[in-house]
Amino acid sequence: MRIFLGLIICQIIGTVYAQDASQILREHFKDYGQEQWNDVRSVTIDGRLVDEDYYGCKMKVSLKQPDKIRIDGTYKKKGFAEAYNGLTSWIVAPWRETYEVTYPEPAEELSLIHALGFGSPLYPFRDHLKFEGLKSFEGELYLTFVLDESAYLKTFYLGREDYRLYFEEISLRFGSQPTKILKVTEKYKQYGELLMPTAAIFEGEDYYKELIFDQVYLNMGVNDQIFERPKE
């Protein structure tokens, strides 16, 4: 039985390596509607944030090209906001030790910056990805691409049949302590030709956050000022 299973796995691996990595990416980007995503200038989302205690609250996500993002809402009757302007990030939230504008913890910043983008998370790094074939993750085999750069080490796990991204391991390489989180995408929804996750789950050491995306609005316009750190 073990020999038989081993032969099946070898056949699968042989098939995958016979595929061209660039072809896999082309199919992946086509599924996401990446060409259409490239024409989207801003995204606004009404949704929910769920914490490690499974407490949920309403939130709003604002995205603006190329990589600006803000998440805000009301958490236990107090407002919160976290934002990244493409260079730096900030946060003010009632779950922090002090309720004032400050810098996020590494895991908070990673989950903010990687919460959502314009299409596939692989697209901005398409010319720098290394294809590593099949890897096992949580008992399943996935097509894997790795981004190895000075700031981050990222591993992307794509479905063997649909080429969709389901797991993303993100390791931060700078700072006083190593930080690693796992981003989980369980389901997707089609908006015309655009593919979007219905939620993003972030897991790390003593860290958990789930962002649920309910209503999506495209090209409604977003003011650049909302991403800037509030003045003291």
Side-chain angles (χ1 to χ4, degrees), residues 87-152:
L87 295 173
T88 61
S89 56
W90 56 270
I91 184 173
V92 55
W95 58 78
R96 305 274 301 185
E97 290 185 3
T98 58
Y99 189 61
E100 59 185 23
V101 178
T102 186
Y103 295 103
E105 295 294 328
E108 290 176 321
E109 185 171 52
L110 284 178
S111 65
L112 170 65
I113 293 175
H114 296 88
L116 193 65
F118 293 84
S120 167
L122 284 75
Y123 187 74
F125 316 107
R126 60 195 179 280
D127 296 326
H128 305 283
L129 296 171
K130 179 183 178 182
F131 180 51
E132 295 200 344
L134 282 174
K135 281 189 176 182
S136 178
F137 191 87
E138 296 191 351
E140 296 285 341
L141 290 172
Y142 293 89
L143 299 162
T144 58
F145 287 86
V146 172
L147 175 69
D148 191 344
E149 57 182 11
S150 59
Y152 301 103

Side-chain angles (χ1 to χ4, degrees), residues 52-69:
E52 67 273 11
D53 298 318
Y54 302 104
Y55 172 82
C57 63
K58 291 183 178 181
M59 70 166 186
K60 177 181 178 181
V61 182
S62 302
L63 295 165
K64 189 168 185 178
Q65 286 278 21
D67 53 6
K68 297 180 180 182
I69 184 170

